[in-house]
């Protein structure tokens, strides 16, 4: 079952970093994203995410908020201080769905917010909304040069 209804928009060609401390959640996210064509890397906490970002190019980060070692808010703030990652798409993924957490995520520099348990179709559609738009705007800018 392919969760993408429009076959012209798929996650193929996109690389997504899943930052999540729960092993089962990692496996579910990785399986879902790879099933829909994405390449996936996994980090167990924010510090690992920063290490991966230093060595690999990512199109998007799915960032859990509450993790050991370095939480998602701190990791996002550090990512946003690096000009190299200024345009990196970061989507919060958390069980905390109240407005306070949404505000914290936005103020840290996250682009969007998804709640757990993840709705697979909403996840894929949210990624497509951001990633395809970003890719298309880069293509337009490239055509103007």
């Amino acid at each position: 079952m392919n969760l993408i209804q429009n076959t012209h928009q798929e996650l193929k060609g996109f690389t997504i970093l899943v930052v999540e401390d729960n092993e089962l959640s990692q496996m579910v996210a990785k399986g879902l994203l790879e099933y829909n064509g994405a390449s996936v890397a996994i980090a167990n906490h924010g510090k690992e995410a920063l290490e991966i970002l230093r060595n690999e190019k990512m199109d998007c980060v799915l960032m859990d908020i509450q993790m050991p070692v370095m939480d998602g808010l701190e990791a996002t703030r550090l990512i946003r201080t690096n000009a190299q990652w200024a345009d990196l798409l970061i989507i919060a993924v958390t069980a905390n769905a109240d407005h306070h957490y949404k505000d914290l995520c936005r103020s840290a520099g996250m682009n969007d917010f998804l709640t757990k348990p993840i709705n697979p179709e909403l996840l894929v559609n949210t990624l497509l909304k951001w990633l395809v738009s970003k890719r298309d705007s880069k293509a337009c800018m490239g055509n103007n040069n």
Side-chain angles (χ1 to χ4, degrees):
M1 137 180 126
N2 192 335
L3 296 172
I4 300 172
Q5 295 179 14
N6 182 344
T7 58
H8 298 290
Q9 295 183 347
E10 55 184 10
L11 297 177
K12 185 174 178 149
F14 293 112
T15 305
I16 299 170
L17 175 59
V18 175
V19 187
E20 168 67 59
D21 62 319
N22 180 285
E23 191 174 330
L24 179 58
S25 295
Q26 290 173 355
M27 291 185 330
V28 169
K30 183 174 170 66
L32 173 66
L33 295 167
E34 287 179 343
Y35 183 82
N36 283 281
S39 297
V40 179
I42 301 288
N44 294 297
H45 49 74
K47 188 174 179 185
E48 277 186 12
L50 293 170
E51 292 169 13
I52 290 170
L53 289 172
R54 284 185 193 101
N55 297 309
E56 299 178 44
K57 184 192 176 308
M58 297 290 157
D59 296 300
C60 175
V61 177
L62 294 177
M63 183 76 76
D64 188 16
I65 302 303
Q66 296 178 325
M67 296 176 287
V69 183
M70 181 185 292
D71 69 30
L73 295 172
E74 182 180 355
T76 298
R77 286 185 199 104
L78 290 171
I79 289 168
R80 292 301 183 222
T81 64
N82 187 324
Q84 174 185 345
W85 302 322
D87 294 332
L88 180 62
L89 175 62
I90 303 174
I91 298 174
V93 180
T94 181
N96 299 310
D98 64 32
H99 289 290
H100 173 70
Y101 274 92
K102 288 181 182 181
D103 291 342
L104 286 173
C105 292
R106 283 189 193 101
S107 67
M110 294 182 177
N111 301 91
D112 211 332
F113 187 94
L114 294 171
T115 57
K116 293 179 184 178
I118 290 293
N119 172 320
E121 187 172 357
L122 179 60
L123 171 63
V124 171
N125 288 335
T126 300
L127 288 168
L128 287 173
K129 172 184 82 172
W130 287 98
L131 292 170
V132 171
S133 169
K134 187 176 177 182
R135 180 181 61 198
D136 291 349
S137 69
K138 281 184 179 181
C140 288
M141 287 174 26
N143 289 338
N144 291 335
N145 290 337

